[in-house]
Amino acid sequence: MVAFGVFARSLTHHCLKKSNPNQPSLSLIISRNFSSKSHTWQYQSLRTLILETASSESVRLNRLSDSDSGIVEVRLERPGAKNAIGKDMLRGLQETFEAIERDPSANVVMICSSVPRVFCAGADLKERKTMNPSEVHLFVNSLRSTFSILEALCLPTIAVIEGAALGGGLEMALSCDLRICGEDAVLALPETGLAIIPGAGGTQRLPRLVGKAVAKELIFTGRKIGGRDAMSMGLVNYCVPAGEAHRKALEIARDVNQKGPIAIKMAKRAINEGVEMDMASALALEEECYEQLLNTKDRLEGLTAFAEKRKPRYSGE
């Protein structure tokens, strides 16, 4: 499990190379090591198609329909605990990310909260208090692995932050590609105040976003920052008026959803893997990603739509 975080980063390359869409994905096979229960999809003919996991009521997976088809919402729904991540919610997150990774119709993911004024309060410390050190170690490793699966999803992910995003809640947001917050958002990694460190990727993802010095100050002190400060330091992409984060995130998701889905996935792979390489290797990776787009139907559709002065109709082929 310790090696999972490194291994999971290769999943983006894998999922774009799958030749058999009916074959279980690599992330599905791996993450089943952390969850023995399977999920059941229950389809409802409503404006939104709701996919409910069988093992958790704390996480809901909504696929938007009509013009927003292709946009998926992961909703955190544990109001009694301010969306604190316990074993049940962790299981729900694992299975939800598995479902998304296997779904070829998904183009963009938004992670939202159904609980007013809170995104996620972090780990469930009441539950944590009942665990022995071995159980805590297993739980934190599983949480780290789950966020690595989220980070390695082929498609773009957007964290929609209204209110508090603390500890593991912020670490989940850091695992997304984009972060949108309201002005009243409160973000922090307060773990050192509990004599621990951010153990689900926070010590690694935060400095990659804001730089080592800023990350050290925030982690050493556990200082809480607001939405505007988060934007000024590059922690979030947009800070909008309180209550408007979902609307802004949906606007961005809709924009992305209109683009060629294979191109978006290739762009994500080129960026994520390229930043870890020297320039020559990164440019070779970019060439490889571009070559995989040359023979797609979407590329030809884009050229045709441009010539005909109309919006392209991409199929992901």
Side-chain angles (χ1 to χ4, degrees), residues 5-292:
V6 175
F7 188 44
R9 284 194 287 272
S10 68
L11 292 179
T12 301
H13 176 74
H14 165 80
C15 61
L16 293 174
K17 292 276 192 177
K18 286 190 294 185
S19 59
N20 182 358
N22 296 318
Q23 182 178 359
S25 67
L26 184 58
S27 64
L28 174 63
I29 294 170
I30 295 172
S31 56
R32 275 179 177 163
N33 291 332
F34 307 104
S35 174
S36 60
K37 297 183 180 180
S38 63
H39 61 273
T40 302
W41 287 10
Q42 299 177 343
Y43 295 91
Q44 302 178 16
S45 55
L46 302 173
R47 181 182 178 278
T48 60
L49 179 61
I50 302 176
L51 307 179
E52 298 186 321
T53 59
S55 60
S56 174
E57 295 184 354
S58 303
V59 182
R60 290 288 181 268
L61 180 56
N62 301 338
R63 290 189 58 207
L64 306 190
S65 60
D66 301 329
S67 60
D68 291 329
S69 177
I71 300 176
V72 177
E73 286 187 345
V74 177
R75 287 202 160 268
L76 310 179
E77 299 183 352
R78 198 185 177 201
K82 297 182 179 180
N83 286 340
I85 305 173
K87 294 178 181 178
D88 178 73
M89 177 175 276
L90 177 56
R91 186 182 304 114
L93 289 170
Q94 290 170 347
E95 295 179 350
T96 298
F97 298 151
E98 291 171 9
I100 292 171
E101 201 273 337
R102 298 187 307 167
D103 184 358
S105 68
N107 294 331
V108 190
V109 179
M110 295 168 54
I111 300 184
C112 322
S113 169
S114 297
V115 181
R117 296 182 298 280
V118 63
F119 175 71
C120 176
D124 187 337
L125 296 183
K126 292 182 180 179
E127 186 179 273
R128 177 74 58 85
K129 192 176 180 180
T130 67
M131 299 179 185
N132 61 41
S134 178
E135 291 171 328
V136 173
H137 183 258
L138 179 63
F139 180 87
V140 174
N141 276 0
S142 187
L143 187 63
R144 185 186 307 113
S145 300
T146 299
F147 290 165
S148 291
I149 293 173
L150 169 61
E151 183 180 44
L153 287 175
C154 305
L155 59 165
T157 53
I158 306 173
V160 185
I161 305 170
E162 292 281 9
L166 308 176
L170 180 54
E171 289 179 298
M172 177 160 50
L174 291 172
S175 304
C176 294
D177 297 308
L178 307 176
R179 285 153 294 281
I180 315 298
C181 76
E183 289 179 336
D184 64 345
V186 178
L187 303 91
L189 294 175
E191 283 85 352
T192 53
L194 297 170
I196 56 175
I197 65 171
T203 64
Q204 303 307 307
R205 294 188 177 100
L206 185 62
R208 283 166 167 78
L209 273 178
V210 302
K212 287 196 297 183
V214 174
K216 286 176 180 178
E217 188 261 324
L218 292 177
I219 292 174
F220 292 171
T221 66
R223 179 167 67 91
K224 295 179 180 179
I225 60 173
R228 291 183 179 180
D229 286 342
M231 183 175 175
S232 68
M233 65 179 60
L235 181 50
V236 302
N237 297 81
Y238 291 93
C239 176
V240 297
E244 297 293 321
H246 185 273
R247 181 180 298 180
K248 181 63 178 179
L250 185 57
E251 174 188 321
I252 295 172
R254 285 169 172 164
D255 194 9
V256 174
N257 196 36
Q258 293 175 4
K259 305 304 188 290
I262 306 177
I264 293 294
K265 292 174 182 178
M266 287 296 170
K268 178 171 178 175
R269 180 192 165 202
I271 295 169
N272 283 358
E273 296 183 20
V275 294
E276 304 293 337
M277 301 176 176
D278 62 85
M279 182 59 72
S281 299
L283 291 174
L285 171 65
E286 180 182 78
E287 178 183 3
E288 178 188 339
C289 291
Y290 197 102
E291 286 179 350
Q292 293 191 46

